[in-house]
Amino acid sequence: MPVRVLIADDNPVVRAGLATLLSTTADLAVVAEARDGREALHLTRLHTPDVILLDVRMPGVDGISALPHLVRLAPVLMLTYSAEAGTIREALLLGAGGYLVHGEFTPDDLLRAVRDTHAGRAHFTPTAANALLTELRSSSQQQRSVAQSTERVHNSVVFGLSSREVEIMDLIASGMSNQQIAAACFISEKTVKNHINRIFAKLHSTTRSEAIARWLGTARPGVTGHG
C-alpha cells in the first residue's frame, strides 16, 4: 500500500507541483489537497492520510493554528517558505515531524522526507536545522544559568556569606586579582583582603583554588586543601 499524502497549501501551483512530484513514485499517493488549515482538518478526517504536508501561511486558518489538531490524526511535515526561527520553533513544539523550507531541498529530498515522516524519522532543511540547534543551545545555556544561580544561593546560605562576600567570592571565582576586585567594588585592597580572610574562614579554605572549588560546588565535603 502506498503512503497516503494530504497536501495543504493555499498556492494552487505549489499544490499541483507537489502532487505531480509525489505521483512519480509508486509508494506515495496524494489522496487530497487543501487550501487552508480548516479544509486540511476536514479532509484529513475524511481521507485519513498517512502524512500531511502543511504550509504555514494560509488564509483563514493558517498552518500553525491547524497543526495541533492535525498531529492528533497523522504525522505532519511542514513544507513552507516561512523560514523564521520563531515559526520553526513553534511548529516543532506543536508536534510537527519535520520542517522543510522551499528552495532548500531537491525532489528526491522531499520524497525521502515524506517516507521518513511516515516512519517517524524527522527531516529538516538547513535553515530549520540551524534554528533548532540555536534553540537547543539557548535552552542549555538558560538551564546552566539557572543551575548556577541556584547553586550560588544555596552556597551563600550554607556558608553564611553576606551579600558583599557573595559578590567578592563571585569575582574571585571569575579569576580576578585583589587589585581588580578592589577596583570593581570601589573599595581598597586592604578591605578586599579582609573580606577574603572572612570568606576563606567560612568556606573552610586556605587557598583561592580551594575556595573557588567549594563555592562552585566542585569540592568534596570535608576535603581541605594545602598551601
Side-chain angles (χ1 to χ4, degrees):
M1 292 291 292
V3 175
R4 296 157 50 82
V5 182
L6 181 146
I7 301 169
D9 196 298
D10 65 312
N11 188 326
V13 176
V14 172
R15 291 199 308 271
L18 292 173
T20 299
L21 173 61
L22 295 174
S23 68
T24 61
T25 179
D27 65 328
L28 302 175
V30 176
V31 295
E33 297 179 25
R35 293 165 293 184
D36 61 23
R38 187 184 303 278
E39 189 174 25
L41 185 57
H42 169 70
L43 293 177
T44 294
R45 289 170 174 158
L46 185 64
H47 295 281
T48 61
D50 300 309
V51 175
I52 299 169
L53 300 183
L54 183 64
D55 189 18
V56 170
R57 294 194 176 93
M58 294 181 287
V61 178
D62 62 29
I64 294 298
S65 299
L67 182 56
H69 306 284
L70 292 171
V71 293
R72 298 172 187 167
L73 304 174
V76 176
L77 175 63
M78 305 306 293
L79 186 60
T80 177
Y81 285 100
S82 300
E84 296 83 2
T87 301
I88 295 169
R89 175 181 181 276
E90 186 174 9
L92 296 178
L93 288 175
L94 289 174
Y99 200 106
L100 305 186
V101 178
H102 283 296
E104 297 186 352
F105 58 87
T106 66
D108 285 342
D109 291 335
L110 176 59
L111 297 177
R112 189 180 309 109
V114 172
R115 296 183 185 107
D116 283 350
T117 299
H118 180 240
R121 295 186 292 269
H123 258 266
F124 305 98
T125 49
T127 295
N130 288 337
L132 179 59
L133 181 59
T134 299
E135 175 66 22
L136 287 173
R137 285 173 174 167
S138 175
S139 176
S140 177
Q141 289 171 352
Q142 290 174 3
Q143 290 174 0
R144 285 198 299 269
S145 178
V146 169
Q148 289 169 355
S149 178
T150 301
E151 182 70 22
R152 180 173 176 271
V153 172
H154 170 74
N155 284 349
S156 67
V157 173
V158 168
F159 295 119
L161 270 61
S162 67
S163 58
R164 174 59 101 178
E165 289 167 348
V166 167
E167 180 183 9
I168 290 175
M169 189 58 231
D170 278 341
L171 296 176
I172 292 173
S174 73
M176 280 192 179
S177 66
N178 287 3
Q179 184 179 11
Q180 290 170 325
I181 293 172
C185 297
F186 301 101
I187 55 179
S188 67
E189 284 190 59
K190 181 179 179 181
T191 302
V192 171
K193 291 178 181 178
N194 290 337
H195 280 305
I196 291 176
N197 287 337
R198 287 194 292 271
I199 292 170
F200 281 16
K202 291 179 179 180
L203 267 59
H204 305 290
S205 303
T206 56
T207 66
R208 235 176 170 84
S209 59
E210 185 183 356
I212 292 171
R214 287 190 177 280
W215 182 241
L216 298 180
T218 57
R220 291 172 296 171
V223 177
T224 58
H226 299 281

Short mmCIF file of all heavy atoms in Angstrom, two decimals, residues 134-145:
data_model
loop_
_atom_site.label_atom_id
_atom_site.label_comp_id
_atom_site.label_asym_id
_atom_site.label_seq_id
_atom_site.Cartn_x
_atom_site.Cartn_y
_atom_site.Cartn_z
N THR A 134 20.13 26.37 17.41
CA THR A 134 20.19 27.61 18.20
C THR A 134 19.28 27.52 19.41
O THR A 134 19.64 27.93 20.51
CB THR A 134 19.78 28.81 17.33
OG1 THR A 134 20.69 28.93 16.23
CG2 THR A 134 19.81 30.10 18.14
N GLU A 135 18.10 26.97 19.21
CA GLU A 135 17.14 26.83 20.32
C GLU A 135 17.68 25.88 21.39
O GLU A 135 17.57 26.16 22.58
CB GLU A 135 15.81 26.30 19.77
CG GLU A 135 14.77 25.98 20.82
CD GLU A 135 14.28 27.21 21.55
OE1 GLU A 135 14.41 28.33 21.02
OE2 GLU A 135 13.76 27.05 22.68
N LEU A 136 18.28 24.79 20.98
CA LEU A 136 18.82 23.83 21.93
C LEU A 136 19.96 24.45 22.74
O LEU A 136 20.05 24.26 23.95
CB LEU A 136 19.31 22.58 21.20
CG LEU A 136 18.24 21.65 20.64
CD1 LEU A 136 18.87 20.55 19.79
CD2 LEU A 136 17.43 21.03 21.78
N ARG A 137 20.82 25.19 22.04
CA ARG A 137 21.94 25.83 22.74
C ARG A 137 21.45 26.88 23.72
O ARG A 137 21.95 26.99 24.84
CB ARG A 137 22.88 26.46 21.72
CG ARG A 137 23.74 25.44 20.97
CD ARG A 137 24.52 26.09 19.86
NE ARG A 137 25.45 25.14 19.23
CZ ARG A 137 26.08 25.35 18.09
NH1 ARG A 137 25.87 26.51 17.44
NH2 ARG A 137 26.90 24.45 17.60
N SER A 138 20.47 27.66 23.30
CA SER A 138 19.91 28.71 24.16
C SER A 138 19.27 28.09 25.39
O SER A 138 19.45 28.55 26.51
CB SER A 138 18.88 29.53 23.39
OG SER A 138 18.24 30.46 24.23
N SER A 139 18.52 27.00 25.18
CA SER A 139 17.86 26.32 26.29
C SER A 139 18.89 25.75 27.25
O SER A 139 18.74 25.83 28.48
CB SER A 139 16.96 25.20 25.75
OG SER A 139 16.38 24.47 26.80
N SER A 140 19.97 25.17 26.70
CA SER A 140 21.02 24.60 27.54
C SER A 140 21.71 25.68 28.37
O SER A 140 21.97 25.49 29.56
CB SER A 140 22.05 23.89 26.66
OG SER A 140 23.12 23.39 27.43
N GLN A 141 21.97 26.84 27.76
CA GLN A 141 22.61 27.93 28.47
C GLN A 141 21.72 28.46 29.58
O GLN A 141 22.19 28.77 30.68
CB GLN A 141 22.96 29.06 27.49
CG GLN A 141 24.10 28.71 26.54
CD GLN A 141 24.27 29.76 25.45
OE1 GLN A 141 23.45 30.66 25.30
NE2 GLN A 141 25.33 29.62 24.66
N GLN A 142 20.42 28.56 29.31
CA GLN A 142 19.48 29.02 30.32
C GLN A 142 19.42 28.05 31.50
O GLN A 142 19.38 28.46 32.65
CB GLN A 142 18.09 29.18 29.70
CG GLN A 142 17.98 30.35 28.74
CD GLN A 142 16.64 30.38 28.03
OE1 GLN A 142 15.76 29.58 28.30
NE2 GLN A 142 16.49 31.33 27.11
N GLN A 143 19.43 26.75 31.19
CA GLN A 143 19.40 25.74 32.25
C GLN A 143 20.65 25.81 33.10
O GLN A 143 20.59 25.70 34.33
CB GLN A 143 19.24 24.35 31.64
CG GLN A 143 17.88 24.10 31.03
CD GLN A 143 17.80 22.76 30.31
OE1 GLN A 143 18.77 22.00 30.25
NE2 GLN A 143 16.65 22.47 29.75
N ARG A 144 21.81 26.01 32.44
CA ARG A 144 23.06 26.12 33.19
C ARG A 144 23.06 27.37 34.06
O ARG A 144 23.51 27.35 35.21
CB ARG A 144 24.26 26.15 32.24
CG ARG A 144 24.60 24.81 31.63
CD ARG A 144 26.02 24.81 31.07
NE ARG A 144 26.18 25.80 30.02
CZ ARG A 144 25.97 25.55 28.74
NH1 ARG A 144 25.59 24.37 28.34
NH2 ARG A 144 26.16 26.50 27.84
N SER A 145 22.52 28.45 33.52
CA SER A 145 22.46 29.71 34.27
C SER A 145 21.58 29.56 35.50
O SER A 145 21.93 30.02 36.59
CB SER A 145 21.92 30.82 33.37
OG SER A 145 21.81 32.03 34.09
#
